[in-house]
Amino acid sequence: MIIEAAREEFAENGYDGARTDRIAIRTGMSKGVLYHYFNSKDDLFVAVLEDIYQELRSQNEALVLSDFEPEAGIRELIAHTYKYFVKHPEFIVLVNSENLMKSQHLEKSQSVRSMFAPLSRRLGELIGRGQEQGIFRANVDVVELYISIVGLGYFFLSNRWTLSVVFNRDLLAEGAEERRLAHMTELILDYLRNVKPKDGPK
């Protein structure tokens, strides 16, 4: 309950604008009780960041990549990740706030550092199967690949208001999100696809 209320407060007002008084009011607790659980606003923000990253990890873990053929698995992972950002715009707001502060809060978290290791392993296995079948290129850096998957959707969703003005295109119009998903999916798959015959020259 406290984390949910804090998540809303930080997402609506940013780190600097958020107030523990309002978080206490949202929970129906006194400020003293709130500080019984969290020593400071900083500690509370760390907990909120851990919560949103855990949520994203849980969403990704719900997708069993081993159930899919390689290309289908990549398509599902891209869509799954992108749709999480669409449904949870507060993730973008909170992570943007933390990046402005150069990750000074997330640096204090021990859990986040290992949180995405299972996804990296399962994505690596999926890429490996695609390489064995000769449909994916060799030498794929799984971390770089996942950063690209996240970044292609994250940047669009966090900047579409300014991008709409710069390019004179309504990127908030109906169908814009779906077009972006289709574009980024093909972009990633075109990078992954092996253009050389399986037994061709190295």
Side-chain angles (χ1 to χ4, degrees):
M1 186 176 181
I2 295 175
I3 296 299
E4 183 179 345
R7 181 170 173 165
E8 292 174 357
E9 176 68 17
F10 284 119
E12 290 172 10
N13 300 289
Y15 176 80
D16 289 334
R19 296 289 178 266
T20 53
D21 306 69
R22 288 196 294 262
I23 295 171
I25 291 170
R26 287 174 187 264
T27 62
M29 299 177 181
S30 69
K31 195 173 177 180
V33 173
L34 186 68
Y35 280 121
H36 172 73
Y37 292 102
F38 297 95
N39 294 325
S40 66
K41 179 180 171 181
D42 281 354
D43 288 349
L44 190 51
F45 193 54
V46 171
V48 167
L49 291 171
E50 289 177 338
D51 182 63
I52 61 169
Y53 276 106
Q54 175 62 52
E55 184 176 80
L56 176 60
R57 187 188 80 162
S58 296
Q59 290 284 324
N60 284 330
E61 285 184 344
L63 179 64
V64 183
L65 293 177
S66 59
D67 286 349
F68 297 93
E69 287 301 308
E71 279 206 8
I74 293 297
R75 287 183 182 276
E76 288 293 329
L77 178 61
I78 294 170
H80 211 72
T81 305
Y82 180 73
K83 288 175 182 177
Y84 173 81
F85 294 145
V86 171
K87 292 177 182 176
H88 298 280
E90 73 275 12
F91 181 97
I92 292 173
V93 175
L94 292 165
V95 172
N96 282 349
S97 292
E98 180 63 356
N99 273 295
L100 287 172
M101 294 181 283
K102 299 182 180 179
S103 199
Q104 67 185 51
H105 298 93
L106 209 60
E107 282 282 351
K108 301 173 185 176
S109 172
Q110 295 302 314
S111 63
V112 168
R113 296 178 186 277
S114 59
M115 204 172 277
F116 286 87
L119 174 64
S120 295
R121 185 184 66 254
R122 290 186 291 117
L123 179 55
E125 291 169 354
L126 182 70
I127 296 298
R129 285 197 285 121
Q131 291 167 334
E132 290 172 2
Q133 294 175 25
I135 60 176
F136 284 166
R137 61 185 291 167
N139 302 321
V140 175
D141 186 313
V142 172
V143 172
E144 291 286 359
L145 175 65
Y146 185 68
I147 290 173
S148 294
I149 290 171
V150 170
L152 287 168
Y154 186 105
F155 183 85
F156 170 80
L157 293 169
S158 63
N159 294 278
R160 52 185 171 167
W161 291 269
T162 51
L163 292 171
S164 293
V165 175
V166 169
F167 293 107
N168 195 29
R169 178 182 293 183
D170 186 359
L171 297 177
L172 288 92
E174 184 176 352
E177 291 175 358
E178 290 76 11
R179 285 192 295 273
R180 180 62 186 175
L181 175 57
H183 173 78
M184 56 189 276
T185 300
E186 289 310 306
L187 203 63
I188 292 292
L189 284 173
D190 280 348
Y191 159 74
L192 284 174
R193 287 180 181 125
N194 186 10
V195 296
K196 297 178 182 178
K198 187 174 181 180
D199 299 321
K202 305 294 183 184

